[in-house]
Amino acid sequence: MRVAVVGAGVIGVTSAFAVKSAFPSYEVKIFADVFSPDTTGDGSAGLWGPYLLSDTPAEDIIRWADNTHKWFEQLWKAGLSPKTGVCLLPVTRVTSDYPSDIDPPWAKIVYGFQKLSNERLQQLNKDHKSNYKQGWHFVTYTAEPVLLLPWLMEKFAALGGKMEKRNIKMLHQLADEGYDLIINCSGLGARELVADKTMIPIRGQVYRVKASWAKHCFLADDDACNYIIPNIHSVVLGGTHQEGDFNCSAEEEDSKHIYDGCCRIMPSLKASEIMRTWVGLRPGRSRIRLECESLSSPMGKEFKVIHNYGHGGSGVTLCWGCALDVVEMIRNLKVPELNSKL
């Protein structure tokens, strides 16, 4: 069984690793025009938390997110934080939306979930000159792709997995080269690769700064979209979520919004050293596409495709859960060697 994985972001690499782990005798190869550290994910802070998922069914989001959170827990308990970038982080998440008595669906996944008291919200509104209506405190993980991706690729290669830097223009190229199954993890590239024009960029601009005293994550989950996310070697300040914007250049207006907003939340950031500005395009879609399809090449070669793309701002959050679904889909294809080690 020859399997081609298109895309080397966090979705593609976790899918390839999961498949090779579950089916050791399969020939699995990742094809991508860019690999870490040049993927979109490499610029992200890697915070676990469902985000920008439009109409994706809530039960799917929670299943994928929960399985990924449990995987991060395993990596963290194994003492792999320095290698994988998986770290525990206390988080305060607030919103200006009208408050609800119902806890967010992810509340049972994270550790120590609790609502912020009215007194605490009033104090935050005074300090931040904001109008938060509700908020929560909890502990979850960051999984920094700039560390996680190289570690995963090393493990994948140790299992016999292969990688090739190559821009795949059409999926049937790989079918005609003898691949029986193609796993399409092309992200925003699916616009061209499979002519999925429902894919849209969700532009994100961030600062990375040196602020070693910042140990707590703060997310303003509203239109202002300011957030402070500590990583191992830097702190990520954000951000933007501009739908339909393909601009990959840093904009001064966005930089000012990010810097002023984050310094209003944490004034001590004015003393931080700005390391760099980064812009990336998240792969937005009305709902994540995770499904199997049968296709034929112009040469008459029949092949299967498992699509796994459109994860918006939640690639890290959902990656392992979606990879497990890919493995299950392969089992259901009734192909040889169905014994899984996962």
Side-chain angles (χ1 to χ4, degrees):
M1 181 75 164
R2 301 185 71 203
V3 181
V5 179
V6 180
V10 68
I11 297 296
V13 173
T14 49
S15 294
F17 176 65
V19 171
K20 186 61 180 172
S21 299
F23 309 107
S25 69
Y26 287 6
E27 178 186 325
V28 184
K29 191 171 189 178
I30 301 173
F31 294 88
D33 54 350
V34 293
F35 284 84
S36 183
D38 300 317
T39 72
T40 299
D42 282 289
S44 73
L47 179 70
W48 183 98
Y51 182 58
L52 298 175
L53 290 167
S54 299
D55 298 325
T56 302
E59 60 269 22
D60 289 337
I61 294 172
I62 294 305
R63 185 179 77 257
W64 296 329
D66 187 27
N67 283 331
T68 304
H69 201 270
K70 289 173 179 173
W71 182 52
F72 291 159
E73 182 180 66
Q74 291 172 3
L75 297 175
W76 183 80
K77 285 183 174 179
L80 292 170
S81 290
K83 294 181 178 180
T84 63
V86 174
C87 298
L88 274 176
L89 188 68
V91 179
T92 298
R93 185 170 177 171
V94 296
T95 176
S96 300
D97 291 340
Y98 191 77
S100 169
D101 292 331
I102 302 173
D103 290 341
W106 44 263
K108 292 182 180 180
I109 300 175
V110 297
Y111 309 121
F113 177 88
Q114 57 182 299
K115 289 184 177 179
L116 299 184
S117 66
N118 288 330
E119 292 76 17
R120 179 59 177 153
L121 281 171
Q122 290 173 11
Q123 186 62 52
L124 287 174
N125 283 327
K126 179 181 177 181
D127 294 343
H128 299 175
K129 300 178 177 60
S130 298
N131 189 32
Y132 307 137
K133 297 291 197 310
Q134 63 179 342
W136 312 277
H137 180 74
F138 54 92
V139 177
T140 187
Y141 294 99
T142 49
E144 300 176 36
V146 72
L147 293 171
L148 182 65
L149 284 173
W151 180 82
L152 279 171
M153 289 190 292
E154 180 182 331
K155 295 297 181 183
F156 174 67
L159 293 173
K162 305 295 183 183
M163 289 162 275
E164 181 177 330
K165 190 171 184 179
R166 179 177 160 195
N167 188 4
I168 302 300
K169 298 290 188 182
M170 292 172 286
L171 293 180
H172 70 73
Q173 289 176 251
L174 297 169
D176 290 338
E177 292 172 18
Y179 285 92
D180 308 288
L181 172 65
I182 299 167
I183 303 172
N184 173 22
C185 304
S186 55
L188 191 59
R191 280 180 61 88
E192 306 301 327
L193 183 63
V194 293
D196 186 348
K197 301 306 180 185
T198 67
M199 288 295 300
I200 61 168
I202 305 176
R203 181 180 178 274
Q205 180 171 322
V206 300
Y207 271 132
R208 279 192 181 267
V209 303
K210 287 186 178 179
S212 58
W213 59 90
K215 304 294 186 184
H216 188 110
C217 172
F218 192 93
L219 297 170
D221 193 8
D222 51 26
D223 287 340
C225 194
N226 281 123
Y227 53 80
I228 301 164
I229 306 175
N231 275 183
I232 294 174
H233 300 298
S234 63
V235 178
V236 179
L237 310 182
T240 64
H241 56 276
Q242 298 150 339
E243 294 190 6
D245 191 339
F246 284 92
N247 178 19
C248 289
S249 299
E251 295 294 333
E252 184 61 35
E253 181 179 350
D254 293 328
S255 295
K256 179 175 172 53
H257 156 73
I258 292 167
Y259 187 80
D260 290 350
C262 290
C263 287
R264 188 174 64 251
I265 292 169
M266 184 184 288
S268 63
L269 288 171
K270 293 177 182 177
S272 67
E273 176 189 342
I274 296 176
M275 300 168 66
R276 68 182 178 115
T277 306
W278 179 86
V279 177
L281 304 180
R282 306 177 185 96
R285 196 173 188 270
S286 59
R287 62 187 290 172
I288 291 171
R289 188 180 187 191
L290 183 48
E291 63 183 5
C292 188
E293 183 180 21
S294 298
L295 296 174
S296 297
S297 76
M299 294 176 60
K301 165 80 173 180
E302 293 186 358
F303 61 100
K304 300 284 188 180
V305 178
I306 295 176
H307 299 286
N308 185 15
Y309 65 85
H311 295 75
S314 299
V316 167
T317 301
L318 307 180
C319 63
W320 190 246
C322 289
L324 293 179
D325 271 20
V326 168
V327 169
E328 191 61 29
M329 287 180 182
I330 295 174
R331 288 199 192 99
N332 292 335
L333 289 174
K334 309 299 183 185
V335 292
E337 195 200 330
L338 301 181
N339 294 322
S340 170
K341 293 186 178 180
L342 289 184

